[in-house]
Amino acid sequence: MDDLNDWIGCLGGHPQTITPNLDRLAASGILFNNAHCPAPACNPCRSAIFTGRSPHRSGMYDNRQAMREIMPTEVLIPQHFRNNGYRASGSGKMLHYFIEAASWDEYYPAAETENPLPDSADPKVRPASLPRGGPWQYVDTDWAALDMTDEEFGGDWLTAKYVSEQLNQKHDKPFFLACGLYRPHEPWFVPKKYFEPFPLESIQLPPGYKPNDLDDVPAVGASAARNRYFAHIQEQGQWKQGIQGYLASIHFADAMLGRVLDALEASPNADNTIVVLWSDHGWQLGEKEHWQKYTPWRAVTRVPLMVRVPAGISTALPSGTAAGTVCDAPVNLLSLYPTLIDLCGLPKKSGNDGPSILPLLSDPANQDWTHSSVTYLSKPGSYSASNRTHQYIHYYDGSEELYDLESDPYEWTNLASLPSSEAMLDAFRRDAPKDFHERVEPSVDSLVKLPWFPSQGKNPPVSVPDGNKFPIFFTNKRAAAVELCLVEASGQVSMKATVDAGSRETQRSRPGEVWLIRDAGTHLSLGHFVVDDRTAEAIIPAAVAK
């Protein structure tokens, strides 16, 4: 489940959440209430899980990177199972917006499309609720109750349908089946019946919210927290609407999970199927003045993790998992790969960086578990580590945070500067990762592409710059040189560079800036690009429309 924090009944993250199916799955197996993600973003987290490689070993730290550019030969979990006699099928988002067709026997949508998301009926007019604060804002930060049925909405309903059909079949071979539910990932568009249990006037703010909670946070952490989203949402008077949308999306995703669990229980595979449920990372909805993910605090690093193993199907765990058990040991999703290998009796896969949690599945109270759980941020040297009682944060500049989770579960009081904390700090520092792979820059070819707007005799819009600078790569596919011209906010056009035919030029730019492309010989306008919220490639097409 995508972007799901601890706002589920059995983890107690928000008193209004409605998650009967997550709760019944937890009650039927082991709930890990101190589980954390390898990275607080979809791409590095999912890449780490499916390859078994930790971000600090691979150099895969953020969403802009391409997994196969960084780890071209790592065998993914479904392929390892296929190599050992299993059939691998899946549906929905498992990797970061691609399928990796070569690692699966079948997929829905079709694997060759490399688009894992089934179509959904989003509103025709966007934004539906939250006005976009500027080009810096992710366009899908939005929410709405849709007047339609689950089937009419599609999306996760179609994923649950496909997975349920696979479960209902009799299989000649053992199977690995992946179900990637996209909600509660943004945008928070779901059928209105999932909004109805959460009347706006009843919405409660996040229990972990505290005004001025960044006062004792190091500057680098406070800067990352204040990413403009929360301030914009407050300015628009939409904080409670956003919370409502998130709760509704969790409720919808839980219902889709229920369809899958019902299908499994009614299927011929009910008694010999291991079930693992996880979320790639959590989400902040105003805690520490932050909205989104990407941060080192528990609201983002901590994730739901549930494991159910029926008795008599695993030689490594013959008695199966004890129903209704809660384990508070610090564990990490990086451990899923080696754990599944152990449970299914497959050959080990070299290079797995996480320890198998099989000892905890056998004995959830196991006090010999000495591992801490580490979440790696986007800059090498920055990470968050959890043990049974404390959470420690280390930033690349050497600044630190320390929280006592037993007395301060919402991390309101940073203890790092207190002399009494030295022993705990020393323990975390001693066990901390020492070597960090440098961040591997994505190739230009793997970047998102800016839309091309042909001139058609019209003047381009003026720039409305808003945000920090980052590189934009201009690739000239024409047979003649072009000029790169920045359209200033005043409307003045400033020529910045010439790009020869078949060449590429890099310019640092800000969200909202407009780049006019002119023929270098005639100085006639060919078209323009508008910079969005991230590094991108701007391809000047070979055949320019008149």
Side-chain angles (χ1 to χ4, degrees):
M1 302 175 86
D2 205 331
D3 290 11
L4 176 63
N5 61 15
D6 66 356
W7 288 17
I8 63 177
C10 56
L11 287 178
H14 194 286
Q16 294 176 291
T17 197
I18 301 175
T19 58
N21 297 297
L22 282 156
D23 297 342
R24 71 158 155 148
L25 178 59
S28 68
I30 294 180
L31 169 68
F32 290 87
N33 68 357
N34 195 11
H36 298 263
C37 56
C42 297
N43 193 23
C45 173
R46 291 165 183 263
S47 296
I49 291 169
F50 274 83
T51 63
R53 301 308 313 274
S54 171
H56 83 299
R57 301 285 190 201
S58 68
M60 184 87 183
Y61 289 107
D62 69 38
N63 279 350
R64 294 169 293 177
Q65 297 167 290
M67 185 191 77
R68 280 308 186 196
E69 288 186 353
I70 293 171
M71 295 178 281
T73 61
E74 291 290 344
V75 176
L76 304 190
I77 295 176
Q79 184 62 57
H80 188 73
F81 273 75
R82 292 175 74 199
N83 292 345
N84 291 281
Y86 278 66
R87 184 169 186 82
S89 306
S91 179
K93 183 182 169 188
M94 301 308 297
L95 297 166
H96 189 56
Y97 298 117
F98 71 104
I99 293 172
E100 170 89 354
S103 292
W104 306 86
D105 290 297
E106 55 200 2
Y107 214 88
Y108 175 77
E112 60 268 20
T113 68
E114 287 297 339
N115 177 10
L117 300 182
D119 290 338
S120 59
D122 294 344
K124 292 182 173 60
V125 178
R126 301 283 304 275
S129 298
L130 181 69
R132 198 174 185 197
W136 54 267
Q137 182 184 322
Y138 180 45
V139 69
D140 278 345
T141 302
D142 199 5
W143 37 81
L146 307 180
D147 188 10
M148 60 184 63
T149 66
D150 295 353
E151 184 173 0
E152 289 169 338
F153 175 64
D156 288 335
W157 186 89
L158 291 167
T159 292
K161 178 176 182 289
Y162 175 86
V163 171
S164 297
E165 289 168 350
Q166 298 301 307
L167 288 171
N168 282 322
Q169 296 174 15
K170 290 185 177 180
H171 295 264
D172 296 331
K173 299 168 67 174
F175 63 90
F176 176 94
L177 180 58
C179 174
L181 297 178
Y182 194 48
R183 293 295 180 268
H185 193 287
E186 297 175 312
W188 297 332
F189 301 149
V190 293
K192 67 177 183 180
K193 69 180 180 181
Y194 297 102
F195 275 77
E196 288 169 352
F198 311 106
L200 191 60
E201 64 274 11
S202 74
I203 292 296
Q204 299 180 34
L205 300 182
Y209 173 73
K210 178 185 177 184
N212 304 313
D213 194 16
L214 291 173
D215 287 354
D216 60 357
V217 169
V220 64
S223 176
R226 295 185 175 118
N227 66 351
R228 306 176 69 173
Y229 281 81
F230 184 50
H232 174 60
I233 288 165
Q234 287 182 301
E235 288 167 3
Q236 296 296 319
Q238 296 241 7
W239 189 7
K240 287 192 174 183
Q241 287 88 335
I243 294 169
Q244 180 192 45
Y246 189 63
L247 288 169
S249 295
I250 293 172
H251 188 20
F252 169 75
D254 180 83
M256 298 306 103
L257 169 65
R259 294 181 62 219
V260 173
L261 294 179
D262 290 346
L264 174 59
E265 290 168 5
S267 80
N269 305 292
D271 297 327
N272 68 345
T273 299
I274 296 167
V275 179
V276 181
L277 184 138
W278 52 279
S279 167
D280 53 356
H281 49 72
W283 191 270
Q284 284 169 254
L285 292 96
E287 304 94 331
K288 284 189 164 58
E289 301 180 33
H290 186 73
W291 193 280
Q292 276 194 337
K293 42 202 174 187
Y294 309 121
T295 66
W297 298 294
R298 192 171 174 85
V300 171
T301 70
R302 185 177 180 227
V303 293
L305 175 62
M306 306 170 191
V307 181
R308 184 176 76 194
V309 182
I313 69 167
S314 171
T315 56
L317 193 68
S319 60
T321 48
T325 306
V326 178
C327 178
D328 66 359
V331 297
N332 195 279
L333 299 180
L334 195 60
S335 293
L336 292 184
Y337 202 152
T339 301
L340 292 175
I341 285 175
D342 284 351
L343 287 174
C344 296
L346 304 187
K348 301 290 185 184
K349 182 254 185 187
S350 62
N352 274 346
D353 292 323
S356 169
I357 60 172
L358 181 63
L360 295 172
L361 296 178
S362 302
D363 176 16
N366 190 330
Q367 295 300 309
D368 294 330
W369 184 264
T370 58
H371 304 281
S372 59
S373 181
V374 181
T375 299
Y376 296 90
L377 305 185
S378 61
K379 287 194 175 182
S382 294
Y383 59 89
S384 176
S386 299
N387 62 21
R388 291 180 189 267
T389 60
H390 288 73
Q391 184 132 335
Y392 168 73
I393 297 168
H394 179 275
Y395 296 102
Y396 64 90
D397 66 350
S399 54
E400 298 173 305
E401 297 174 49
L402 180 70
Y403 299 99
D404 183 339
L405 301 175
E406 294 181 324
S407 63
D408 181 22
Y410 298 121
E411 301 172 304
W412 287 340
T413 305
N414 179 12
L415 306 174
S417 63
L418 300 181
S420 58
S421 298
E422 277 304 310
M424 182 62 68
L425 287 170
D426 286 343
F428 274 113
R429 292 166 184 156
R430 182 177 60 251
D431 295 337
K434 302 298 189 294
D435 299 312
F436 294 83
H437 196 295
E438 64 181 5
R439 184 184 180 279
V440 180
E441 291 297 327
S443 70
V444 175
D445 289 341
S446 72
L447 297 176
V448 296
K449 312 305 177 191
L450 291 182
W452 166 253
F453 298 98
S455 65
Q456 297 179 337
K458 299 178 181 178
N459 291 328
V462 299
S463 291
V464 186
D466 192 357
N468 297 323
K469 286 190 172 185
F470 44 71
I472 298 294
F473 299 88
F474 293 89
T475 302
N476 184 10
K477 298 286 189 179
R478 299 185 78 227
V482 298
E483 295 174 338
L484 303 183
C485 305
L486 180 63
V487 183
E488 309 282 358
S490 64
Q492 179 181 343
V493 175
S494 302
M495 208 277 276
K496 298 295 184 181
T498 299
V499 188
D500 291 333
S503 297
R504 177 178 289 150
E505 174 70 27
T506 306
Q507 294 287 311
R508 291 186 64 78
S509 191
R510 299 173 63 191
E513 287 188 330
V514 176
W515 289 87
L516 174 66
I517 310 301
R518 298 191 307 207
D519 183 279
T522 65
H523 307 296
L524 292 176
S525 171
L526 303 172
H528 69 274
F529 298 98
V530 181
V531 177
D532 205 2
D533 64 346
R534 65 196 68 194
T535 298
E537 183 182 19
I539 299 176
I540 301 147
V544 178
K546 300 293 185 182

